[in-house]
Amino acid sequence: MMISTRGRYALRVMIDLAEHFHEGYIPMKVIAGRQNISLKYLEQILPALTRNGMIEGLQRKGGGYKLTARPETYRVGDILRIAEGDLAPVACLGCEAKECERAGYCKTLPMWKEFYKMTNEYFDKITLAGLMEGEIFES
């Protein structure tokens, strides 16, 4: 499994907003500059985070984006699932996948299910606050 640029950038944006949590709304241009991410790319990432209630935006002078809750309440797994759509290692486990015709006798399916479970559990135990504090997570 590989996390895309979209997922990595979404995490960078969320960490940036968490680090500046008490500053109110942060303009997209400021986030883009601090994170060295193009405005065009941010325009693709921020709406999904907004739709899913992770951030809120204010479109006027003095506007920008901010977290909707404290950094310790945000799980990395939730952010990645919003950005990536799913963390499934194989297509048959994806959130919109139809049950595979081989599911009843597939010898590898249990392995993939366990890997999927471990991946979600790992990312769900990491918070934005933990990343800001540089906590190391080991299974």
Side-chain angles (χ1 to χ4, degrees):
M1 173 186 59
M2 183 178 294
I3 303 297
S4 72
T5 302
R6 183 179 176 95
R8 294 190 325 269
Y9 284 5
L11 282 174
R12 285 173 44 189
V13 166
M14 293 297 287
I15 293 167
D16 189 281
L17 291 173
E19 289 174 336
H20 301 277
F21 180 69
H22 297 292
E23 296 175 26
Y25 290 95
I26 309 293
M28 184 173 19
K29 189 171 166 180
V30 171
I31 299 166
R34 285 195 294 236
Q35 295 303 316
N36 196 27
I37 301 172
S38 76
L39 284 172
K40 287 277 190 204
Y41 214 120
L42 278 186
E43 289 170 355
Q44 296 173 25
I45 296 169
L46 295 175
L49 294 169
T50 303
R51 267 192 316 278
N52 285 278
M54 294 278 183
I55 61 175
E56 64 180 45
L58 185 61
Q59 305 298 322
R60 62 174 170 84
K61 186 175 178 168
Y65 293 87
K66 70 177 186 172
L67 299 181
T68 57
R70 301 193 52 76
E72 58 271 12
T73 66
Y74 290 90
R75 301 182 314 175
V76 167
D78 294 330
I79 297 164
L80 289 176
R81 283 185 289 273
I82 288 168
E84 298 291 331
D86 197 354
L87 299 176
V90 290
C92 62
L93 292 178
C95 58
E96 295 182 14
K98 292 185 265 179
E99 184 173 0
C100 175
E101 60 191 46
R102 298 178 39 87
Y105 57 89
C106 179
K107 299 293 185 192
T108 61
L109 186 58
M111 172 188 68
W112 294 125
K113 283 182 175 181
E114 183 62 21
F115 181 70
Y116 187 36
K117 178 182 164 207
M118 288 174 16
T119 301
N120 281 290
E121 287 174 354
Y122 177 76
F123 286 129
D124 285 344
K125 72 180 178 183
I126 303 170
T127 66
L128 284 182
L131 289 175
M132 287 171 38
E133 295 164 12
E135 293 177 2
I136 303 291
F137 292 88
E138 296 180 18
S139 296

